[in-house]
Amino acid sequence: MTHQHTMTQARLEADRERLNRGRMLISCPDRAGIVAAVSKFLFEYDANIVQSDQYTMDPDGGMFFMRIEFDMAELGERLAQLKKDFAGIAESFEMQWRITRVCDKKRLAIFVSKEDHCLVELLWQWQAGDLDAEIVMVISNHNDMRDYVESFGIPYHHIPVTPDTKAEAERRQIELVEGKADVIILARYMQIISPRFIEVYKNQIINIHHSFLPAFVGGKPYHQAYTRGVKLIGATAHFVTEELDGGPIIEQDVSRVTHSADVNELKRIGRTIERVVLARAVQWHAEDRVLVHQNKTVVFN
Amino acid sequence: MTHQHTMTQARLEADRERLNRGRMLISCPDRAGIVAAVSKFLFEYDANIVQSDQYTMDPDGGMFFMRIEFDMAELGERLAQLKKDFAGIAESFEMQWRITRVCDKKRLAIFVSKEDHCLVELLWQWQAGDLDAEIVMVISNHNDMRDYVESFGIPYHHIPVTPDTKAEAERRQIELVEGKADVIILARYMQIISPRFIEVYKNQIINIHHSFLPAFVGGKPYHQAYTRGVKLIGATAHFVTEELDGGPIIEQDVSRVTHSADVNELKRIGRTIERVVLARAVQWHAEDRVLVHQNKTVVFN
Amino acid sequence: MTHQHTMTQARLEADRERLNRGRMLISCPDRAGIVAAVSKFLFEYDANIVQSDQYTMDPDGGMFFMRIEFDMAELGERLAQLKKDFAGIAESFEMQWRITRVCDKKRLAIFVSKEDHCLVELLWQWQAGDLDAEIVMVISNHNDMRDYVESFGIPYHHIPVTPDTKAEAERRQIELVEGKADVIILARYMQIISPRFIEVYKNQIINIHHSFLPAFVGGKPYHQAYTRGVKLIGATAHFVTEELDGGPIIEQDVSRVTHSADVNELKRIGRTIERVVLARAVQWHAEDRVLVHQNKTVVFN
Amino acid sequence: MTHQHTMTQARLEADRERLNRGRMLISCPDRAGIVAAVSKFLFEYDANIVQSDQYTMDPDGGMFFMRIEFDMAELGERLAQLKKDFAGIAESFEMQWRITRVCDKKRLAIFVSKEDHCLVELLWQWQAGDLDAEIVMVISNHNDMRDYVESFGIPYHHIPVTPDTKAEAERRQIELVEGKADVIILARYMQIISPRFIEVYKNQIINIHHSFLPAFVGGKPYHQAYTRGVKLIGATAHFVTEELDGGPIIEQDVSRVTHSADVNELKRIGRTIERVVLARAVQWHAEDRVLVHQNKTVVFN
């Protein structure tokens, strides 16, 4: 099958180049000496920092965030020791931290309903080698997209949802993803996710909302936008929390509309914003560029 | 004074070219034959249509909106007769309508508080010949901008506002503008306008709100935006109605921000959006490009 | 097959609503009375104008352009007579003109090389019902996309091109499209089209160039952009003329890039601009919104 | 005078907060250990890094760029020693470097011709406290803006330029700026700068070109844009080199235009892009966010 073939080649090549590329993520209370300690540590491991971003939220007594990409010979073999050695530094600075190999990709499960544009976009980006993650399954409450998804060699699970079967459906979903997927993408899934699910996948469920949040929270945002007569419509990718459409925002974008656009035209224009915004958010999360602090994100891109 | 001189020349020249340019605005229930009737009428007057825009809201039994610019010899002398003759057509189609000469400019009164950026923008656009209106006065509850405004030859009225004097202050404002200004621009005026004032200047008071409405209605929108962690901030120019920040939207725009922008940085970025958005809205309204229907605008631009 | 099914339903429904919707396109030397004559003509046919756009290029002795959408009972049966009757008016105003039924869609042939993103976008837009045209075939100098294209029920023709076989390949292409396709879309086809082909499909071949023309004409525009250090990259959809990348521009857009983007990253970002810009241009051309005058376009949208 | 008063207050306040804020700029061949050495050095001085950006151009044997903002007690008294101590590290890494106090602001001389919009913008941004630099003089080949500029307390020098007096005029300009201004801003100055002048102010002369470079190099770019029929117009701020409009680009932006915009309308829309783009570039350069490497810029913002 053409799709799989092309995709696999592009990705294998990219991956080979990055077997020794590592990533370090740090959040901690700000204080002097963090950068010095971390960079000295990496230097002593002969690691070369190829990219480094940092941000201090509220310099007086605030939070410090850092993301480093580094190259280090034989990273695979030395990763466990690297982590062990870093734990001491991390403790002394009260860090939340993670060190990973870039080639250990996040595994995504994509949830979708009837609207396919966000799913199509993610699959295309993935196949083009632009989405640095594994797509391990697609789960849908409809069966429409099965052929298309399976043509990429990706398993498709049809789990119908009705008010009566909702709890059971979610139980089956969790069963499917648990231990197999690291991140859940709600690609216009249009079903409320239960608190229990959100708890298990904390800051790992990305939803695309079809408005420029916090404008038009809730249902039928394009109808709301039409009624209010806005001159720009937008979309918002955010982590899902218990508060409806209230979680940390990862990315937003807008497009200009005129008085002549009716609700269908708003939807049409909006579809392109939605898929672009979601794809960016997923890509950044896949590359560990998104750090969450309280209800906000720090995005290093 | 340099400012006045340059401004006057540019505007006089532009005006001379347009002594015979007219504008026709129409709103009415949609039905067949409107365009035919109107264009035949203008043709019989030897008027040449140089620009025409129309829009039908909801083609089945909806509303029809039209804006025409035309050139007609001796428009000044013939305008009264033109209007009289058009009244019959207008009545038969139940039109709301207006025919004006382009050289009869709208007279603006600008209300401002301490933040000067929107006022500076409007004055600069006006002086550059880009704002096709008269600025007949500036009213402020502070005295800070007097010298600057008066250097353009524009009267400046300082009317302090306190909770106690608010009613009296507004009485003086109305006294100043009534019969002298056609449009009120709230260029970051930051005071609530009373229902009575709004009634007198219906769809003629333009406010700039420093958020992408309907997100962040009310006070301190940049603080609200910071707290919510949005990735774009915006501004909205709208007609003032009794509902706070709820009137018909004329124009909106946004600018990208990152996690690293604190409230002051949001304000700084926002100032440029605010002044550009307000200037566009005022310019369009000055050129009769904005038609209001219920709580929405039709903008022909 | 899912794709075809969904697509067909959405389109059939939209089409049924528009059996009596017509479109009129006019270009002619500007003079008084055009709008009056045209609108009176349509009124006498009991046609209801649902959308009308006009533009006068250079009001003193310039060109007049108009696009009208109208509803008219039994348009199918009456179209021939309508055209016949309009010919007289058209002649008296020296018009270039066309009247069509909206349901008589343009037939597109898409040419593609190895890069698939523009093709994928057009197919997705078409399937979503957003591209109001028929896609009658895909022609490629590679065989890679056959399965994907055929899964939509669209014929796929593999015509390899080498320096030696170029003339013969083009002969076969013309044979395939002539009489079957109205418009040729070069969706990153990357081969020069011969003057003879361009002559046959005058202003009917749309190319997507991967730069913000006229910057970076010719080959490897992303390399050129990287070398020049631009802060925005873009894409341009234009009609193909004999002058390389010099034809009338239909649509352009740009995206912000930073110093940290290497050529591959520019390409990645650029792919999304390219496909969005091409899709817009094709859609507008499909809906007869693009009029060409000399080397420029008038786009009514 | 109102202007000066407001401006001085806002700036004094901001400055007081930053007496101990320093900035370090580094460019050098990339190799392991740079960040470790620099951050250890600052840590040993008890400096707290509040912002740090770095970029490695071409990771294999490429260039390393870094910008750090740090707070350090008694920076004023200790700066000389800090520099002396850093020289050793700098030498071992072959760095080009600079350490400055943030309160030691760049001194700008603004060159302007008749078009005032860029000058007005810079003065407004400066007065609003958004431009972190001193404006030490304005030089113009016209006298029109004297009153306006002097109302801000800024010296205005009128140096007429004719083909005959060009050399002498430039001699006088250099006399005025040498030793008094660090940076020259060509705010639509519209005169070619001599190679000698460029040599003295290498990478310290910022020009605003009124097109999206490299499209429309040279004169009358809006006419060129109109003739080519582009759908976006832009502006470019760049450092001046001997190659006309060919120097390193700092910032660019664009705005959408339609077929209906004539050259005057393009100019009008363009003025707002020009002033916003120039103001951003000047601000970033004032804050040492722009590093030049060969013919490209690294912009940390």
Side-chain angles (χ1 to χ4, degrees), chain B residues 2 117 121 124 144 271 275, chain D residues 2 117 121 124 144 275:
Chain B
T2 306
H117 53 287
E121 181 76 16
W124 175 76
D144 306 35
R271 279 194 285 266
R275 55 199 174 109
Chain D
T2 305
H117 53 286
E121 181 76 17
W124 175 75
D144 305 36
R275 56 200 173 108

Side-chain angles (χ1 to χ4, degrees), chain C residues 53-285:
Chain C
D53 292 282
Q54 65 177 79
Y55 167 60
T56 306
M57 188 180 286
D58 181 13
D60 312 322
M63 286 293 290
F64 175 86
F65 304 88
M66 192 169 205
R67 177 188 186 274
I68 292 176
E69 291 213 354
F70 60 91
D71 285 339
M72 191 173 119
E74 287 163 26
L75 178 60
E77 294 77 358
R78 298 162 74 199
L79 183 62
Q81 188 62 41
L82 188 77
K83 285 175 172 178
K84 212 170 136 186
D85 293 353
F86 189 70
I89 292 174
E91 198 176 351
S92 69
F93 286 97
E94 299 170 77
M95 289 175 178
Q96 291 194 293
W97 62 285
R98 207 165 73 236
I99 304 177
T100 56
R101 290 174 78 193
V102 166
C103 57
D104 291 337
K105 298 186 182 184
K106 290 204 163 79
R107 300 164 302 170
L108 316 182
I110 303 177
F111 283 42
V112 67
S113 285
K114 283 214 150 183
E115 298 251 26
D116 67 350
H117 53 285
C118 288
L119 175 64
V120 169
E121 180 77 18
L122 290 173
L123 290 175
W124 175 76
Q125 296 252 2
W126 176 70
Q127 173 205 336
D130 290 345
L131 176 53
D132 202 19
E134 303 294 337
I135 299 179
V136 294
M137 71 185 76
V138 172
I139 294 178
S140 178
N141 51 343
H142 297 277
N143 210 22
D144 305 35
M145 301 295 294
R146 177 179 297 279
D147 289 358
Y148 182 66
V149 169
E150 289 181 349
S151 79
F152 288 88
I154 296 170
Y156 187 91
H157 304 286
H158 176 209
I159 305 181
V161 177
T162 64
D164 285 354
T165 64
K166 191 162 166 44
E168 165 63 9
E170 191 160 277
R171 204 194 47 73
R172 286 183 55 205
Q173 290 167 356
I174 293 180
E175 212 173 85
L176 280 166
V177 297
E178 226 167 19
K180 301 220 182 57
D182 307 303
V183 181
I184 311 292
I185 311 298
L186 306 182
R188 296 295 307 271
Y189 178 56
M190 312 304 286
Q191 300 280 335
I192 306 288
I193 302 299
S194 76
R196 191 185 137 221
F197 207 150
I198 293 169
E199 185 56 36
V200 174
Y201 281 89
K202 205 190 163 189
N203 292 335
Q204 299 295 345
I205 307 179
I206 297 178
N207 181 50
I208 179 74
H209 183 76
H210 37 317
S211 85
F212 179 81
L213 287 175
F216 314 131
V217 165
K220 295 195 169 288
Y222 291 125
H223 287 83
Q224 294 184 52
Y226 178 76
T227 302
R228 183 63 188 90
V230 290
K231 301 299 184 186
L232 300 166
I233 57 167
T236 304
H238 63 96
F239 289 116
V240 174
T241 60
E242 288 203 31
E243 187 190 341
L244 179 65
D245 301 330
I249 293 169
I250 304 167
E251 171 64 341
Q252 307 187 282
D253 216 336
V254 295
S255 202
R256 191 160 280 276
V257 297
T258 73
H259 58 261
S260 69
D262 60 15
V263 172
N264 280 332
E265 178 72 1
L266 295 186
K267 284 182 182 171
R268 196 185 64 71
I269 294 170
R271 280 194 285 266
T272 286
I273 318 174
E274 290 167 35
R275 55 200 173 106
V276 169
V277 166
L278 179 62
R280 275 192 218 134
V282 172
Q283 191 183 319
W284 296 340
H285 186 57

Side-chain angles (χ1 to χ4, degrees), chain A residues 1-3 116-117 120-121 124-125 127-128 130 144-145 147-148 265 268 271-272 275-276 283, chain C residues 1-3 116-117 120-121 124-125 127-128 130 144-145 147-148 265 268 271-272 275-276 283:
Chain A
M1 175 63 206
T2 306
H3 288 175
D116 67 350
H117 53 286
V120 169
E121 180 76 18
W124 175 76
Q125 297 252 4
Q127 172 205 337
D130 290 345
D144 306 36
M145 300 297 294
D147 289 358
Y148 182 66
E265 178 71 1
R268 196 186 63 73
R271 280 194 285 267
T272 286
R275 56 199 172 107
V276 168
Q283 191 183 319
Chain C
M1 175 62 206
T2 307
H3 289 176
D116 67 350
H117 53 285
V120 169
E121 180 77 18
W124 175 76
Q125 296 252 2
Q127 173 205 336
D130 290 345
D144 305 35
M145 301 295 294
D147 289 358
Y148 182 66
E265 178 72 1
R268 196 185 64 71
R271 280 194 285 266
T272 286
R275 55 200 173 106
V276 169
Q283 191 183 319

